[in-house]
Amino acid sequence: MALTHFSLTALRSFEVASRHLSFTKAAEELFLTRSAISQQISLLEGQIGVKLFHRIHSKLVLSREGELLASVVRKSLFNIESALDSIRSSDITGKLVVGSLPSFGAKWLAPRISQFGELYPNIEIRLLSYVSLDDVISNGVDIAVSFAREKQPGIRQEILLQDEIWPICAPSILRAGQPVTTSADLGHYPILHTTLEGLDFGASWDSWLAELGLPPFPTHRAISFSRAYMMIEAATCGQGIGIAMRSLVEQDVNSGKLFRLFDFRVEASKLIALFYPEAAEHRPAVRAFTEWIHEEIGRGG
């Protein structure tokens, strides 16, 4: 039978239903009714002449023919979607100026920005650092990452994530010194912190301790840095125990360069958000970046 005889909607409905083994969940993913999914599956089965699903003890299972078709359809739809994404990406051109507070730019954006460049090879990317979001708005930045704030006229704000505060250190510092099993053990080591907590994605020891109901540290043996990325570098080199936003150190923790101390969940007091002018909302490059960064944040690393 020629492919023109088959409905792409029916094939898509079948693929989603085969993944979930549920017409109800397939309907939710495709924003259709359960009845519509059932009709599309029946249409496809009528065209092929075989049953694609069986119901056994109230559970939906694929038939042998359904399993074979599901594998082929899934790969084919993936190839089509990839080709369409590639075509759309290659059509988006122009310059995109991305602003970020210094430490988020250095520790989160910079290691990932080439992935965005590979998806959109015809977009010229310029990554800038800044201290105040007000500077960004008046200096030609197309889109920026900062802490969430009250709504401003003409500026759209999209929440990216609720960050966490993580105590961190180099694995070597623990191997060479005293173990750290309680907060009191932290006193055996130099304490690293940032002095611009509100401006540069730093994390505060005071906030972490207060959340856990613990007293502040004594100030001796403390080393302070004006930027979080500087403090993280010092911690990576084994100069002491630091504290940082999860978003800035998660890759280093996952790679083994840093070790996360304790497993207390302490949320940062501020949300991280994306900002861009309302007038730029439908610019293809801005839309592409917002979609990419939301997906990347959603992957959690």
Side-chain angles (χ1 to χ4, degrees), residues 12-39 41 52-55 58-62 74:
R12 179 60 172 156
S13 298
F14 166 69
E15 188 278 326
V16 178
S18 72
R19 270 193 286 114
H20 293 294
L21 291 178
S22 167
F23 288 3
T24 301
K25 290 182 179 179
E28 291 173 357
E29 179 173 329
L30 295 175
F31 300 102
L32 297 171
T33 64
R34 187 187 185 287
S35 175
I37 295 294
S38 180
Q39 289 174 6
I41 300 299
L52 298 173
F53 292 96
H54 296 304
R55 194 164 290 279
S58 76
K59 291 183 64 176
L60 195 67
V61 297
L62 285 165
R74 190 165 299 129

Side-chain angles (χ1 to χ4, degrees), residues 53-269:
F53 292 96
H54 296 304
R55 194 164 290 279
I56 302 176
H57 303 305
S58 76
K59 291 183 64 176
L60 195 67
V61 297
L62 285 165
S63 66
R64 183 176 62 83
E65 294 82 2
E67 288 181 353
L68 176 62
L69 183 61
S71 175
V72 174
V73 170
R74 190 165 299 129
K75 290 177 183 176
S76 299
L77 289 176
F78 175 80
N79 290 337
I80 292 170
E81 290 172 355
S82 297
L84 290 173
D85 285 342
S86 178
I87 292 168
R88 284 195 298 263
S89 299
S90 64
D91 284 345
I92 299 177
T93 61
K95 183 171 73 172
L96 185 71
V97 182
V98 181
S100 172
L101 291 171
S103 291
F104 191 82
K107 297 298 295 180
W108 196 95
L109 263 178
R112 295 169 171 83
I113 198 66
S114 64
Q115 299 171 20
F116 177 75
E118 290 172 2
L119 289 172
Y120 300 95
N122 293 324
I123 295 179
E124 178 189 345
I125 309 161
R126 187 180 179 199
L127 182 58
L128 301 180
S129 67
Y130 63 88
V131 173
S132 168
L133 187 60
D134 296 324
D135 297 336
V136 172
I137 295 168
S138 60
N139 282 287
V141 169
D142 297 305
I143 193 163
V145 179
S146 187
F147 292 115
R149 55 193 292 178
E150 291 184 4
K151 182 169 173 54
Q152 294 177 280
I155 301 297
R156 189 169 296 281
Q157 174 177 272
E158 296 182 13
I159 301 301
L160 286 176
L161 77 147
Q162 169 76 66
D163 219 334
E164 297 176 30
I165 301 175
W166 282 9
I168 44 92
C169 68
S172 60
I173 200 172
L174 298 180
R175 289 196 294 267
Q178 297 280 342
V180 177
T181 56
T182 70
S183 61
D185 296 328
L186 295 169
H188 298 300
Y189 297 93
I191 296 300
L192 313 178
H193 64 99
T194 56
T195 55
L196 294 177
E197 289 90 354
L199 296 176
D200 191 30
F201 281 79
S204 164
W205 277 111
D206 288 344
S207 298
W208 186 80
L209 291 166
E211 183 70 22
L212 299 173
L214 300 171
F217 290 137
T219 56
H220 70 284
R221 300 192 73 194
I223 307 173
S224 65
F225 301 82
S226 64
R227 294 283 181 259
Y229 69 84
M230 297 166 64
M231 184 274 300
I232 294 167
E233 184 65 22
T236 303
C237 294
Q239 295 184 28
I241 294 179
I243 194 159
M245 296 291 198
R246 169 182 175 172
S247 59
L248 303 188
V249 296
E250 189 167 21
Q251 278 197 333
D252 289 338
V253 169
N254 290 340
S255 69
K257 290 174 63 177
L258 286 171
F259 180 78
R260 178 192 176 190
L261 294 168
F262 314 112
D263 58 359
F264 308 125
R265 180 178 173 83
V266 177
E267 291 186 342
S269 60

